[in-house]
Amino acid sequence: MSSTQSLIRFVREFYQSNEFIPLHAPHFNGNEKSYVLDTIDSTFVSSVGAYVDLFERQVAEFTNASSAIATVNGTAALYSALYVAGVRPNELVITQALTFVATCNVIAQLGAQPVFVDVERATLGMCPRALETFLDQHCHLKEGMCFHSSGSRIAAVVPMHTFGHPVQIHEINRVCARFGITVVEDAAESLGSFYKGQHTGTFSPFAALSFNGNKVITTGGGGMVLCESQEVGKRVKHITTTAKVAHAYEFYHDELAFNFRMPNINAALGCGQMEQLHAYLSAKRALALAYQAHFDGSELEFVCEPEHAQSNYWLNAVICADKHHRDEFLEMTNKAGVMTRPVWQLMHTLPMFKNAIRGPLDMSVWLAERIVNLPSSVPTVSEVK
């Protein structure tokens, strides 16, 4: 039996299903429905309501963030974080080419330009050495700010915790501190992931989470900005709620801002999901350990959590021998009704970012030709047993 056929059998046996097996489906087996119905009965279904405040507190407490501000989606969360971090038109933001397109879309929508540096194999995220080499070779400090040789300011660095695996964020922060650059973590995929005992998204002034339907927990669509202080959190909340100055009846807005607040009905769903987060993470770890055991001794390399990290294993992944093997694996599994997918197209290969400034991307290219994501839905208790 081939390794691909063996994987198909393993997945079907694990999930106890002969039907189509999705990549990552949401689970609703707690208080989600009653909380959503409560918002309907209260009529507070839009951006004002008790569940928005509760959901923000739940996430802040779980991550140990000073402040957490709910938004309509993860893209809006990252946009808001970069805006408050000071990213403005004609500036540069360094990120990784191995990422979801939203990371780069928000940079461009702010009028800035993405710059790509390589990732490392162990974390699948931004390589601190590649970042430092790029800055040493192409950038300089002037009056406490970092400028590229083109003359544009490097306004921020955005590492992503790919598939929930934490990057070497301490090293990235060290490099950025040396060059006076703000770090904004793209933690969209890493709720429940820790690096050296600290939750991802809390190592920098700002971070963005996502609660899309395919994430560890979901609000249908939604995101969250994690902030380093209550003061910064108030600033984020102000600009994500149209910069309306509080008043009993007057509508006065004191600056250009956005309508990015999460509706109460979505937050209600999130509150029910947060109550089950610990159980979800335990179940997903059990699935990852089962995959790891299954692939032990195989020509497919299972992607394990990096050193000093506790990953949420949002999406499990394997590294194939080469692109040909990857393509065969994808074809066979999807034809068999077991959903797998390749990693995203590298950002510099997309038409809107093909002319972006970039350093060498050898590891990004190597991984993009070989990574396959595996079914990673939260298994039920009976499936884990």
Side-chain angles (χ1 to χ4, degrees):
M1 182 185 298
S2 72
S3 59
T4 308
Q5 291 171 322
S6 175
L7 182 277
I8 292 169
R9 175 176 291 184
F10 167 82
V11 170
R12 292 209 172 280
E13 288 178 352
F14 189 90
Y15 283 106
Q16 301 174 18
S17 174
N18 289 318
E19 304 298 321
F20 172 75
I21 296 177
L23 192 70
H24 199 293
H27 242 193
F28 305 111
N29 53 359
N31 292 314
E32 295 93 341
K33 185 176 291 187
S34 64
Y35 292 167
V36 169
L37 289 175
D38 185 42
T39 67
I40 294 172
D41 291 341
S42 74
T43 73
F44 286 93
V45 297
S46 194
S47 58
V48 175
Y51 286 105
V52 174
D53 297 333
L54 175 59
F55 186 44
E56 290 175 337
R57 289 197 303 271
Q58 287 176 320
V59 173
E61 289 171 5
F62 180 84
T63 61
N64 201 30
S66 295
S67 182
I69 308 302
T71 59
V72 291
N73 53 49
T75 303
L78 186 57
Y79 187 103
S80 303
L82 288 170
Y83 180 84
V84 176
V87 176
R88 294 296 182 266
N90 303 314
E91 295 185 323
L92 302 177
V93 175
I94 300 176
T95 189
Q96 53 200 68
L98 186 75
T99 187
F100 181 55
V101 70
T103 309
C104 297
N105 280 346
V106 298
I107 295 170
Q109 287 159 2
L110 283 162
Q113 299 175 42
V115 174
F116 303 122
V117 297
D118 213 354
V119 298
E120 56 182 357
R121 180 168 175 173
T123 68
L124 309 182
M126 183 179 289
C127 175
R129 294 168 299 284
L131 172 64
E132 190 163 31
T133 298
F134 179 86
L135 292 171
D136 281 333
Q137 292 180 350
H138 302 288
C139 303
H140 62 276
L141 278 168
K142 181 181 178 182
E143 297 179 352
M145 293 183 288
C146 183
F147 290 86
H148 184 256
S149 56
S150 63
S152 297
R153 183 174 81 99
I154 305 290
V157 166
V158 181
M160 186 184 72
H161 303 291
T162 308
F163 307 146
H165 297 299
V167 299
Q168 292 193 65
I169 190 63
H170 284 160
E171 283 298 298
I172 291 172
N173 279 343
R174 177 191 63 78
V175 172
C176 290
R178 181 183 153 215
F179 283 89
I181 306 172
T182 299
V183 176
V184 176
E185 292 173 70
D186 185 342
E189 303 169 0
S190 65
L191 180 66
S193 295
F194 296 80
Y195 182 70
K196 297 186 177 181
Q198 184 175 335
H199 198 284
T200 53
T202 63
F203 292 87
S204 53
F206 309 93
L209 299 175
S210 172
F211 307 116
N212 190 36
N214 65 349
K215 295 301 189 293
V216 176
I217 69 163
T218 184
T219 57
M224 192 83 74
V225 183
L226 302 184
C227 306
E228 66 178 352
S229 69
Q230 290 286 331
E231 182 180 357
V232 171
K234 290 177 182 178
R235 169 76 179 136
V236 172
K237 181 171 288 190
H238 189 60
I239 65 101
T240 56
T241 54
T242 69
K244 184 180 184 295
V245 177
H247 192 278
Y249 49 84
E250 290 285 1
F251 284 84
Y252 180 74
H253 308 261
D254 61 2
E255 65 175 305
L256 180 68
F258 322 106
N259 185 12
F260 284 168
R261 282 287 273 162
M262 176 184 287
N264 197 43
I265 196 168
N266 294 86
L269 192 63
C271 290
Q273 291 269 285
M274 280 298 294
E275 292 172 353
Q276 303 167 84
L277 179 55
H278 286 289
Y280 287 176
L281 292 171
S282 295
K284 287 180 73 63
R285 177 162 290 271
L287 171 59
L289 291 173
Y291 270 132
Q292 186 177 353
H294 173 78
F295 289 113
D296 186 34
S298 167
E299 72 272 23
L300 293 166
E301 176 190 340
F302 182 70
V303 178
C304 297
E305 61 192 0
E307 187 179 8
H308 304 304
Q310 179 181 328
S311 300
N312 65 5
Y313 284 106
W314 168 55
L315 284 186
N316 293 291
V318 290
I319 298 176
C320 299
D322 52 36
K323 186 177 184 300
H324 177 72
H325 184 204
R326 183 206 71 170
D327 292 346
E328 283 188 340
F329 186 88
L330 288 165
E331 184 74 14
M332 287 183 65
T333 50
N334 282 286
K335 275 189 174 180
V338 173
M339 186 177 178
T340 60
R341 75 169 196 194
V343 75
W344 316 278
Q345 294 285 325
L346 295 177
M347 293 299 101
H348 71 287
T349 68
L350 302 180
M352 54 282 200
F353 304 123
K354 65 180 181 180
N355 296 321
I357 298 167
R358 57 183 181 268
L361 300 174
D362 297 350
M363 181 54 66
S364 301
V365 172
W366 190 90
L367 287 168
E369 292 178 346
R370 291 165 173 80
I371 288 177
V372 174
N373 287 126
L374 309 172
S376 301
S377 301
V378 173
T380 64
V381 173
S382 63
E383 288 165 350
V384 171
K385 290 181 178 178

